[in-house]
Amino acid sequence: MLKEKVLEELRSADGFLSGQRLADQLNVSRNAVWKAVKTLQEEGYEIVSVRNLGYRLDQATRRLSHQEIVRRLPFEPRLLIFEELGSTNTYVKDHHKDLPDGTAVLARRQTMGRGRLGRSFYSPPEDGLYLSLLYKGETMPRPELVTVAAAVAAADVLISYGLSPSIKWVNDLMLGDKKAAGILTEGELELESGRMKYLVLGVGLNVNTDVFPEQLKSQAISLKQAAGRTFDINEVAAKLLCALDAQMKRLSQDDLTYRETAREIIGSYNQRLYLKGQTVTLSGGNRPDLTGVLLGTDEAGRLLIRSKEETISASYGEYRLNPQKG
Ligand code: BTN
């Protein structure tokens, strides 16, 4: 297709390429080149067009593009990209019967991005990654550690960019003391068999956000703010899809290998646990606030806190640094 050839030429060009030169190289009219450029721009490629100079592809593409993600992946993903959705998790839940197993749904913005504990997830246009993966049937990972393994996968992606994330149990990725990403795993249990009918793994990552709303400023951070540079959102998306795919495959192994895998995943998770070894206060759930030293998590991903000579495990709640002792 012409647009792909135009894209290839622009990609290998060093700076601007004139419409005439492109037309000559590809043996088509200038008008055909112009149309191909227009289509590419509509698909999300940032192609700058300057009179008398021609076209230039802006390398730091900030707009999600199917092609730009797919070309970076070693496998052929089932990928849907929407301009806008209420929530990618809700979309996948609502359409789980019709969508093929393994489908990844991305939106350029969410109007009702959801987080854990009924919270919302700030999802401004273009600057973040809002992604949900559907698992059903054979490839379904064991649900217990999906959030934990997804956090490890997302942390690996940030590390590959030279950042130093930590994981705040159970589902947040932190850069310093601010949240860069959140994970929301949802699904439906089949009551007769006790097995999951389907599972939705949702990840939201603040990529190129410059400014957060006033009420989030002290809690949220983007990769751009942390690293001081713009990230190619398609590259980040591809890396995240790869890392999640690898971790989820590990969680769908048979019993023999699973135990060892689970141990490894929990090991990586604990190595990166936010505030590990410090005195924290855990709130939420059915118990009063609990203050103690954060030890880590057990093999099932429950949080372990040492308080008054006793080790308590928790599967629900949220912790913060204890201001008196921290
Ligand atoms: C949290 O902060 O507790 C989790 C946030 C998860 C946000 C992602 S963005 C993609 C997917 N769709 C949603 O509505 N939520 C998740």
Side-chain angles (χ1 to χ4, degrees), residues 254-274:
D254 59 37
D255 282 347
L256 280 176
T257 28
Y258 179 79
R259 283 182 83 91
E260 186 50 34
T261 304
R263 232 191 313 266
E264 277 171 30
I265 294 173
I266 287 284
S268 310
Y269 186 89
N270 273 306
Q271 254 176 24
R272 296 168 195 165
L273 193 65
Y274 177 64

Side-chain angles (χ1 to χ4, degrees), residues 42-308:
E42 279 160 13
E43 284 177 12
Y45 290 97
E46 285 192 15
I47 300 172
V48 188
S49 159
V50 177
R51 220 172 192 203
N52 297 329
L53 278 177
Y55 306 106
R56 192 193 66 203
L57 180 68
D58 189 342
Q59 293 302 338
T61 302
R62 289 178 70 153
R63 216 172 133 74
L64 282 175
S65 144
H66 191 279
Q67 206 170 344
E68 284 299 296
I69 297 176
V70 171
R71 80 179 179 89
R72 292 180 161 95
L73 290 175
F75 53 89
E76 186 70 44
R78 298 186 181 95
L79 201 65
L80 295 176
I81 301 180
F82 290 86
E83 196 57 40
E84 174 183 302
L85 284 178
S87 146
T88 53
N89 263 36
T90 306
Y91 180 89
V92 173
K93 275 166 72 176
D94 289 348
H95 295 85
H96 74 271
K97 284 196 184 128
D98 310 318
L99 293 171
D101 189 15
T103 301
V105 172
L106 290 109
R108 296 199 174 99
R109 72 173 88 104
Q110 294 185 122
T111 52
M112 293 203 302
R114 296 184 292 110
R116 215 167 62 104
L117 309 171
R119 294 188 182 139
S120 59
F121 187 79
Y122 179 59
S123 312
E126 317 291 356
D127 288 338
L129 262 184
Y130 320 114
L131 152 77
S132 297
L133 285 159
L134 171 69
Y135 296 100
K136 57 184 189 180
E138 289 301 295
T139 66
M140 173 111 70
R142 295 209 188 182
E144 311 88 89
L145 291 183
V146 165
T147 305
V148 165
V152 170
D156 283 343
V157 173
L158 269 53
I159 290 167
S160 77
Y161 283 115
L163 295 165
S164 307
S166 59
I167 303 170
K168 185 171 178 201
W169 181 84
V170 56
N171 65 330
D172 288 343
L173 243 66
M174 309 293 283
L175 287 168
D177 289 318
K178 294 184 176 182
K179 173 167 163 172
I183 296 161
L184 181 66
T185 308
E186 300 179 286
E188 199 178 314
L189 194 68
E190 197 172 63
L191 286 175
E192 303 89 69
S193 62
R195 292 174 54 176
M196 298 298 292
K197 253 194 211 164
Y198 69 89
L199 206 133
V200 182
L201 168 59
V203 185
L205 175 61
N206 306 323
V207 181
N208 286 321
T209 320
D210 286 308
V211 186
F212 286 93
E214 207 46 48
Q215 71 274 20
L216 289 180
K217 266 185 186 156
S218 61
Q219 306 155 33
I221 190 167
S222 67
L223 304 193
K224 183 177 179 185
Q225 288 173 327
R229 69 169 181 92
T230 303
F231 285 75
D232 182 331
I233 198 146
N234 294 303
E235 186 187 85
V236 180
K239 281 188 176 211
L240 188 59
L241 284 168
C242 258
L244 290 171
D245 180 69
Q247 290 291 355
M248 293 311 129
K249 281 205 174 103
R250 299 177 77 199
L251 289 185
S252 44
Q253 288 164 349
D254 59 37
D255 282 347
L256 280 176
T257 28
Y258 179 79
R259 283 182 83 91
E260 186 50 34
T261 304
R263 232 191 313 266
E264 277 171 30
I265 294 173
I266 287 284
S268 310
Y269 186 89
N270 273 306
Q271 254 176 24
R272 296 168 195 165
L273 193 65
Y274 177 64
L275 298 181
K276 190 171 162 196
Q278 304 208 44
T279 303
V280 299
T281 297
L282 179 77
S283 12
N286 298 328
R287 58 158 73 92
D289 282 5
L290 172 71
T291 295
V293 175
L294 179 58
L295 299 180
T297 72
D298 65 12
E299 72 287 353
R302 286 180 296 247
L303 198 69
L304 300 174
I305 293 184
R306 185 90 183 144
S307 174
K308 299 187 191 119

Side-chain angles (χ1 to χ4, degrees), residues 1-13 17 22 25-26 28 32-41 43 45 47 57 65-71 76:
M1 248 161 107
L2 180 62
K3 69 166 190 188
E4 267 129 40
K5 290 186 186 147
V6 169
L7 186 61
E8 226 24 75
E9 294 292 335
L10 289 173
R11 230 181 234 135
S12 43
L17 259 186
L22 274 166
Q25 270 166 358
L26 300 171
V28 292
V33 168
W34 177 78
K35 276 191 182 153
V37 168
K38 218 165 148 260
T39 313
L40 289 166
Q41 285 169 329
E43 284 177 12
Y45 290 97
I47 300 172
L57 180 68
S65 144
H66 191 279
Q67 206 170 344
E68 284 299 296
I69 297 176
V70 171
R71 80 179 179 89
E76 186 70 44

